[in-house]
């Protein structure tokens, strides 16, 4: 039997609706950590279903570090102004601007990496794995590319406020919470150094 306290605790951690928390806890047989993983998986599924929806509203958030030498702007879009005017939505946009300031990503998503740069990085790693058996070279190369771009692609970076989540997982959880398509459309980081 799932207690109301368990549901409340999970809701406080995730911000997801009471019913979704209850279902996840039932599926996880009361295991809170497993329920969080179930909700993360479901948030990815929900985001995939909503990917073709039109974005008609959003918020621009700015963060400037306390030394006034570095900052960022992030544009976070949603389907409706009902969501984009929500204080929690604006807080997420602000957190994303703080993340961009701290983590200094170069690209929004992997598809934004120029072909020339991708080719150059592949050549660099290909030289490193020349002596490896041919059967595993491709897997090693893929792993090295993923590790390299995880640091440079915003959606693949671990969120600075919760290293267990990538930025994409944070966006997926936000989609699950608000029930609308939400995405980062662009970001800019400024630095005087």
């Amino acid at each position: 039997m799932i207690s109301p306290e368990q549901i409340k605790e999970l809701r406080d951690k995730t911000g997801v609706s009471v019913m979704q928390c209850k279902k996840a806890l039932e599926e996880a047989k009361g295991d809170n950590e497993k329920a969080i993983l179930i909700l993360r998986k479901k948030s990815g599924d929900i985001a995939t279903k909503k990917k073709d929806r039109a974005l008609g509203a959003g918020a621009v958030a700015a963060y400037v570090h306390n030394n006034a030498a570095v900052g960022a702007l992030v544009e976070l879009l949603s389907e409706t102004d009902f969501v984009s005017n929500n204080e929690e939505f604006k807080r997420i946009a602000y957190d994303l601007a703080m993340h961009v300031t701290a983590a200094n990503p170069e690209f929004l998503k992997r598809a934004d990496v120029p072909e020339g740069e991708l080719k150059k990085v592949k050549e660099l790693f290909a030289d490193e794995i020349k002596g490896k058996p041919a059967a595993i070279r491709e897997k090693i190369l893929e792993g090295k590319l993923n590790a390299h771009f995880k640091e440079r692609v915003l959606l693949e970076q671990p969120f600075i406020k919760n290293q267990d989540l990538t930025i994409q997982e944070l966006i997926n959880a936000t989609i699950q919470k608000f029930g609308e398509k939400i995405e980062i459309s662009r970001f800019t980081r400024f630095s005087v150094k």
Side-chain angles (χ1 to χ4, degrees), residues 141-157:
L141 179 60
E142 185 180 326
K144 286 183 172 286
L145 287 171
N146 286 340
H148 177 77
F149 285 112
K150 181 178 182 178
E151 296 174 11
R152 300 175 65 201
V153 175
L154 176 60
L155 293 176
E156 297 179 25
Q157 290 179 330

Side-chain angles (χ1 to χ4, degrees), residues 6-190:
Q6 286 176 292
I7 296 169
K8 182 182 181 328
E9 181 184 342
L10 185 58
R11 179 166 165 65
D12 290 345
K13 275 187 180 177
T14 64
V16 176
S17 75
V18 171
M19 286 307 296
Q20 289 183 49
C21 288
K22 183 178 181 208
K23 286 179 185 176
L25 281 165
E26 287 171 350
E27 188 176 329
K29 296 181 180 30
D31 183 332
N32 205 15
E33 295 306 311
K34 191 173 178 185
I36 289 172
L37 294 175
I38 289 167
L39 287 172
R40 276 195 198 147
K41 181 186 179 312
K42 287 184 181 177
S43 70
D45 296 342
I46 290 168
T48 300
K49 289 178 187 172
K50 296 182 185 296
K51 73 178 181 164
D52 293 331
R53 291 187 178 181
L55 297 164
V60 173
Y63 174 82
V64 178
H65 192 61
N66 63 11
N67 66 3
V70 64
L73 289 171
V74 171
E75 182 180 42
L76 185 64
L77 300 179
S78 64
E79 293 177 45
T80 65
D81 61 356
F82 177 77
V83 168
S84 67
N85 288 331
N86 182 291
E87 286 304 314
E88 189 170 356
F89 181 88
K90 291 177 183 176
R91 183 187 51 75
I92 291 167
Y94 177 81
D95 285 349
L96 289 167
M98 184 190 315
H99 175 92
V100 168
T101 300
N104 194 15
E106 295 174 53
F107 311 103
L108 175 59
K109 53 189 175 283
R110 185 75 67 104
D112 295 342
V113 177
E115 192 60 43
E117 175 146 359
L118 186 59
K119 183 179 177 188
K120 187 170 45 173
V121 173
K122 279 184 179 180
E123 288 171 359
L124 173 73
F125 290 140
D127 287 344
E128 290 181 17
I129 61 172
K130 272 186 180 162
K132 303 290 182 192
I136 61 168
R137 250 188 249 144
E138 195 61 38
K139 284 219 183 275
I140 294 172
L141 179 60
E142 185 180 326
K144 286 183 172 286
L145 287 171
N146 286 340
H148 177 77
F149 285 112
K150 181 178 182 178
E151 296 174 11
R152 300 175 65 201
V153 175
L154 176 60
L155 293 176
E156 297 179 25
Q157 290 179 330
F159 181 40
I160 59 167
K161 291 179 93 176
N162 180 353
Q163 297 287 306
D164 294 336
L165 288 178
T166 65
I167 296 298
Q168 183 63 63
E169 290 169 336
L170 173 68
I171 296 297
N172 291 349
T174 306
I175 291 168
Q176 183 178 22
K177 182 181 290 186
F178 289 111
E180 286 191 7
K181 177 181 178 183
I182 294 169
E183 70 180 39
I184 302 168
S185 66
R186 57 189 165 160
F187 67 91
T188 304
R189 184 178 186 270
F190 301 91

